[in-house]
Amino acid sequence: MKRLNKQKLMQYAIVLFVAVTLNFMLPRVMPGNPLALIAGVDVGLLTPEQRAQIIEDVGLNRPIFVQYLDYWRSIVTGDFGISYRSDRAIVDIISERLPWTLLLTGGALVFSATVGIVTGAWSAWRRGKKSDLSMLTGMIALQSLPSFWLGMLLISIFSVQLGVLPSFGAVAPAADFTGGAYFVDVIKHAALPMLTLSVLSVPGVYLTMRYSMLEVLGEDFIRTARAKGASETRVLFGHVARNAIAPVVTFLAIRFAFSFGGSVIIETVFSYPGLGRLVFDAVSGRDYPVMQAAFLVFTFAVLAANLVADLLYPILDPRTRSD
Amino acid sequence: MKNNRQRIAVLLSALALIAAACGTTEPETTESPETTAGTEGTTDTAAPATTVAAAAEPVVVRAAITGGEATLNPYTYVSGFPGWNLMMLQYDALMQFDLNGEPQPWLAETITPSADLTVWELTLAEGVTWHDGMPVTAADVEFTFKYFVDNAAGRFARDLKGVESVVVHGDLGLTVTLSGPNPSFELAVLADVPILPQHVWESIESPTDHAYDISTNIGSGPYMLTGFTEDQSYRFAANPDYFRGAPEVDELVVVVFGDDSGPLAAIRSGEIDVIFERVSPEQIDLLDAQDPIDISQGPEFTTQMINFDTSKAPFSDLAVRQAMALAIDKSTVVDILYLGAATVGSPGWVHPGKTVYNTDVVAQFDPAAANKLLDDAGYLDTDDDGIREFDGGPMEFEMITNSSDSLRLRIAELTAEMLADVGIKVNVASVETATWEQAVWPGFDVNNGRNYDMAAWGWSAPVQANTVRIAELVHGDPGIGFLNLTGFSDPEVDAVAEALAGETDPAVAEALVKELQVLLAERVPFILLAYPDGAYAYNSDVYDGWAFVAGQGIVSKVSLLPESGRP
């Protein structure tokens, strides 16, 4: 057990190191220049001396390796400096944004897991029947929808045509809600982006669950369960679904991490103030320090999701326990 | 089993952390300092907008912009439009543009230049105060002029560098002496530079990397920034003591959208009342047809053009540039792509709506003449594949455009088709904005050269507004022609452009501008396609006092002031 943990830990360390290095490199190999953001005013009107001064002020003239070490220092100390674009502390910005993204991705995870698992189990149980096949076709069609298109469609239906849900933001601008009214406002604003993210995740969960169920259905112990007289419901939930769930959990963990990436588009379409939109704006303007810090959060999200899957697996499937 | 419990404990505590983090946003996002105006009637975002406010009810307008503008002070605003415009709601310049786009006395009540435009006597308006109640004095103006020069504020510092001395007389009088005559002083300084309060800014030593919050935003303007949530919204409260009269709109809420389709949906659903961005041509009629949305439309000074690197073959050949200019039908671009909501580009750069426009200079479209020019210059289609050859290869070039602008992409595609008709093959490549900028204008410094063949490009309004400054665009010396992105160099053009920049006699200057337009039309430093109209959508039930400033649009304090207080 100890040995295995050390090995796992080592793996995570290597992945972290590579990811952090890439996070540092990517912004710098992209063409473009953060000067416009740093200067804050029409950059073409600066004299060459003023440009040089600004580059020096923010330390972009230092050797690349020194800047790289500086990035590691910021990771250890948690001080990521000031955003070129907004001139605010990056730690403050990220801690403002991250909860919104977690709300969307977390909500979408719960929703898509519930719907995906139930429909996947149902579909597998009725495999080959008309209802299974039409469900399968429907899910594949759903999976191929582009996310921005779906988002705009939902805005057009629920905000413009029906006028029942807000089309942008996380809270009503300048409304000063508190308590219950604030809670309702947040839910109303999160509804459409969460729905968009969910709809895009459901097919994956469904397909994984259905496939996993079909595998388990063919196992000997299912025949045994039926032979000993267990009810159909008990076989479905107590035996098949329980054994089929493990791969779905892994899928969900990875999906959760990936939906951070998906939030870039969704949050831009819905003008939602989460981490995804922060990344979009940071990349558009080459805000290096914000890109580095936000990519780091993504890196940790992926690693954490994997860790959760690693920890959950032995609980769900006793055969994978090491002790 | 113990292991399992530990694992579950880890998971549960992780979930608890996430939940706690979500909880902490509540006080942060609802934070908004007390405002002078109430917000009743705007809280239900999904409901249609309320009807015209009765006399007693505060007028609240919700505006949309695309992309955040940080804390909107003179060192943090991001875009020249609408960032500068929103920043200037809180500040005043010494002059203010009127509806004709002409600067009029504002914070400075009287402005008397000497005959040679080097000495400017100014008297500030009496009784003007900063938002914190302190008086606005001539010493603040002196401080502002020096501060912007000392602290690398590009737009504001450029012309202020020419200020040799500022002498303050009493509380309100100033004598500004320039090191040389500057005909642009009114446009580029007096009507452009926000006057800062010395007592707020003197303690900020390094404004480019200072961490700001909105407490810095003390100005003398008609609005005070009372709330800011980054990339979500700004809240402006009317300054009831504004020296030109209290603004008509009591509270202005500016919502920050992530992309430009968001505001279009939100104004239809009644969630916002005005869009502070230009509406694309195909949306104008659609929006206008919907009640109560109206459109405020007029000519603006932004430009849409085709650039090419004139420092390399074949674009260094005048015949090729002239042929391309003749092959592109600018009227078709305006009719098909702008649906008429634009002015056809003049080959002499100057907008036809300006008084100094030379009426003899008009866009030509003549593919036959273009073909003849190319034939005569030896660019022949030797292998009969429809593409001319030069230098042993086909005349095939890449035209880059920025992917965030779909209209510009269509412009690039349409012009490529027109050029194909005269045997020049153009492949349009749509690239990300920063990449496109880096290729056309590496490091925003023309000394770095250029990395493109052809590019669809556009300049913001101030470049066109200041006609005496054409040298910046076309002069061969990068020190003078610092916006010369096509590497254009022509001694004759240089001489006229230079003379124009220093000319203080308006009559002589006008003659020089007209001469320069003829020269540019002939030498083709770039191809000007169109000057797109500004079109702004607003809900007329909520507020209909929007004033279109010629060349600049509706986003200015003029739109929000009572008739009596407008310049």
Side-chain angles (χ1 to χ4, degrees), chain B residues 155-167:
Chain B
R155 170 168 181 157
F156 307 129
R158 251 199 93 234
D159 283 74
L160 284 172
K161 273 181 265 170
V163 173
E164 201 169 71
S165 71
V166 178
V167 180

PDB file of all heavy atoms in Angstrom, chain B residues 155-167:
ATOM      1  N   ARG B 155      -1.525  57.888 -25.452  1.00  0.00           N
ATOM      2  CA  ARG B 155      -2.480  58.747 -26.140  1.00  0.00           C
ATOM      3  C   ARG B 155      -2.422  60.178 -25.626  1.00  0.00           C
ATOM      4  O   ARG B 155      -2.493  61.124 -26.391  1.00  0.00           O
ATOM      5  CB  ARG B 155      -3.877  58.173 -25.947  1.00  0.00           C
ATOM      6  CG  ARG B 155      -4.977  59.095 -26.413  1.00  0.00           C
ATOM      7  CD  ARG B 155      -6.287  58.347 -26.461  1.00  0.00           C
ATOM      8  NE  ARG B 155      -7.366  59.190 -26.915  1.00  0.00           N
ATOM      9  CZ  ARG B 155      -8.484  58.725 -27.457  1.00  0.00           C
ATOM     10  NH1 ARG B 155      -8.631  57.438 -27.623  1.00  0.00           N
ATOM     11  NH2 ARG B 155      -9.439  59.535 -27.843  1.00  0.00           N
ATOM     12  N   PHE B 156      -2.313  60.335 -24.297  1.00  0.00           N
ATOM     13  CA  PHE B 156      -2.377  61.670 -23.723  1.00  0.00           C
ATOM     14  C   PHE B 156      -1.013  62.369 -23.721  1.00  0.00           C
ATOM     15  O   PHE B 156      -0.927  63.587 -23.772  1.00  0.00           O
ATOM     16  CB  PHE B 156      -2.939  61.609 -22.303  1.00  0.00           C
ATOM     17  CG  PHE B 156      -4.249  60.869 -22.232  1.00  0.00           C
ATOM     18  CD1 PHE B 156      -4.450  59.856 -21.328  1.00  0.00           C
ATOM     19  CD2 PHE B 156      -5.276  61.194 -23.114  1.00  0.00           C
ATOM     20  CE1 PHE B 156      -5.667  59.168 -21.291  1.00  0.00           C
ATOM     21  CE2 PHE B 156      -6.490  60.512 -23.086  1.00  0.00           C
ATOM     22  CZ  PHE B 156      -6.680  59.495 -22.163  1.00  0.00           C
ATOM     23  N   ALA B 157       0.050  61.549 -23.665  1.00  0.00           N
ATOM     24  CA  ALA B 157       1.378  62.140 -23.543  1.00  0.00           C
ATOM     25  C   ALA B 157       1.892  62.695 -24.867  1.00  0.00           C
ATOM     26  O   ALA B 157       2.673  63.636 -24.892  1.00  0.00           O
ATOM     27  CB  ALA B 157       2.356  61.104 -23.001  1.00  0.00           C
ATOM     28  N   ARG B 158       1.436  62.097 -25.977  1.00  0.00           N
ATOM     29  CA  ARG B 158       2.041  62.418 -27.267  1.00  0.00           C
ATOM     30  C   ARG B 158       2.133  63.904 -27.560  1.00  0.00           C
ATOM     31  O   ARG B 158       3.188  64.424 -27.847  1.00  0.00           O
ATOM     32  CB  ARG B 158       1.250  61.747 -28.383  1.00  0.00           C
ATOM     33  CG  ARG B 158       2.010  60.621 -29.002  1.00  0.00           C
ATOM     34  CD  ARG B 158       1.447  60.290 -30.350  1.00  0.00           C
ATOM     35  NE  ARG B 158       2.159  61.003 -31.383  1.00  0.00           N
ATOM     36  CZ  ARG B 158       1.575  61.770 -32.270  1.00  0.00           C
ATOM     37  NH1 ARG B 158       0.286  61.940 -32.240  1.00  0.00           N
ATOM     38  NH2 ARG B 158       2.282  62.369 -33.188  1.00  0.00           N
ATOM     39  N   ASP B 159       1.009  64.586 -27.482  1.00  0.00           N
ATOM     40  CA  ASP B 159       1.032  66.003 -27.810  1.00  0.00           C
ATOM     41  C   ASP B 159       1.406  66.863 -26.619  1.00  0.00           C
ATOM     42  O   ASP B 159       1.853  67.991 -26.773  1.00  0.00           O
ATOM     43  CB  ASP B 159      -0.323  66.433 -28.380  1.00  0.00           C
ATOM     44  CG  ASP B 159      -0.456  65.989 -29.821  1.00  0.00           C
ATOM     45  OD1 ASP B 159      -0.661  64.773 -30.024  1.00  0.00           O
ATOM     46  OD2 ASP B 159      -0.307  66.827 -30.726  1.00  0.00           O
ATOM     47  N   LEU B 160       1.236  66.292 -25.408  1.00  0.00           N
ATOM     48  CA  LEU B 160       1.628  67.055 -24.215  1.00  0.00           C
ATOM     49  C   LEU B 160       3.140  67.225 -24.149  1.00  0.00           C
ATOM     50  O   LEU B 160       3.645  68.136 -23.509  1.00  0.00           O
ATOM     51  CB  LEU B 160       1.122  66.351 -22.951  1.00  0.00           C
ATOM     52  CG  LEU B 160      -0.373  66.518 -22.675  1.00  0.00           C
ATOM     53  CD1 LEU B 160      -0.800  65.632 -21.517  1.00  0.00           C
ATOM     54  CD2 LEU B 160      -0.698  67.976 -22.373  1.00  0.00           C
ATOM     55  N   LYS B 161       3.867  66.318 -24.839  1.00  0.00           N
ATOM     56  CA  LYS B 161       5.321  66.451 -24.839  1.00  0.00           C
ATOM     57  C   LYS B 161       5.760  67.768 -25.463  1.00  0.00           C
ATOM     58  O   LYS B 161       6.837  68.267 -25.184  1.00  0.00           O
ATOM     59  CB  LYS B 161       5.956  65.267 -25.579  1.00  0.00           C
ATOM     60  CG  LYS B 161       6.199  64.080 -24.659  1.00  0.00           C
ATOM     61  CD  LYS B 161       6.844  62.931 -25.406  1.00  0.00           C
ATOM     62  CE  LYS B 161       5.781  61.966 -25.870  1.00  0.00           C
ATOM     63  NZ  LYS B 161       6.249  60.947 -26.786  1.00  0.00           N
ATOM     64  N   GLY B 162       4.893  68.308 -26.318  1.00  0.00           N
ATOM     65  CA  GLY B 162       5.230  69.578 -26.953  1.00  0.00           C
ATOM     66  C   GLY B 162       4.944  70.790 -26.069  1.00  0.00           C
ATOM     67  O   GLY B 162       5.129  71.921 -26.493  1.00  0.00           O
ATOM     68  N   VAL B 163       4.465  70.551 -24.840  1.00  0.00           N
ATOM     69  CA  VAL B 163       4.191  71.675 -23.936  1.00  0.00           C
ATOM     70  C   VAL B 163       5.495  72.069 -23.254  1.00  0.00           C
ATOM     71  O   VAL B 163       6.103  71.285 -22.548  1.00  0.00           O
ATOM     72  CB  VAL B 163       3.128  71.283 -22.877  1.00  0.00           C
ATOM     73  CG1 VAL B 163       2.976  72.395 -21.841  1.00  0.00           C
ATOM     74  CG2 VAL B 163       1.796  70.993 -23.544  1.00  0.00           C
ATOM     75  N   GLU B 164       5.902  73.327 -23.500  1.00  0.00           N
ATOM     76  CA  GLU B 164       7.177  73.767 -22.949  1.00  0.00           C
ATOM     77  C   GLU B 164       7.005  74.240 -21.512  1.00  0.00           C
ATOM     78  O   GLU B 164       7.779  73.883 -20.637  1.00  0.00           O
ATOM     79  CB  GLU B 164       7.728  74.904 -23.811  1.00  0.00           C
ATOM     80  CG  GLU B 164       9.203  75.120 -23.675  1.00  0.00           C
ATOM     81  CD  GLU B 164       9.667  76.073 -24.760  1.00  0.00           C
ATOM     82  OE1 GLU B 164       9.345  77.277 -24.683  1.00  0.00           O
ATOM     83  OE2 GLU B 164      10.317  75.591 -25.716  1.00  0.00           O
ATOM     84  N   SER B 165       5.949  75.026 -21.290  1.00  0.00           N
ATOM     85  CA  SER B 165       5.742  75.524 -19.927  1.00  0.00           C
ATOM     86  C   SER B 165       4.273  75.790 -19.681  1.00  0.00           C
ATOM     87  O   SER B 165       3.505  76.048 -20.612  1.00  0.00           O
ATOM     88  CB  SER B 165       6.534  76.809 -19.709  1.00  0.00           C
ATOM     89  OG  SER B 165       5.942  77.854 -20.454  1.00  0.00           O
ATOM     90  N   VAL B 166       3.874  75.658 -18.413  1.00  0.00           N
ATOM     91  CA  VAL B 166       2.519  76.016 -18.007  1.00  0.00           C
ATOM     92  C   VAL B 166       2.659  77.007 -16.865  1.00  0.00           C
ATOM     93  O   VAL B 166       3.329  76.723 -15.876  1.00  0.00           O
ATOM     94  CB  VAL B 166       1.737  74.775 -17.526  1.00  0.00           C
ATOM     95  CG1 VAL B 166       0.341  75.175 -17.072  1.00  0.00           C
ATOM     96  CG2 VAL B 166       1.667  73.714 -18.615  1.00  0.00           C
ATOM     97  N   VAL B 167       2.084  78.191 -17.024  1.00  0.00           N
ATOM     98  CA  VAL B 167       2.135  79.184 -15.946  1.00  0.00           C
ATOM     99  C   VAL B 167       0.717  79.369 -15.420  1.00  0.00           C
ATOM    100  O   VAL B 167      -0.224  79.582 -16.190  1.00  0.00           O
ATOM    101  CB  VAL B 167       2.703  80.528 -16.454  1.00  0.00           C
ATOM    102  CG1 VAL B 167       2.735  81.541 -15.309  1.00  0.00           C
ATOM    103  CG2 VAL B 167       4.088  80.325 -17.044  1.00  0.00           C
TER     104      VAL B 167
END
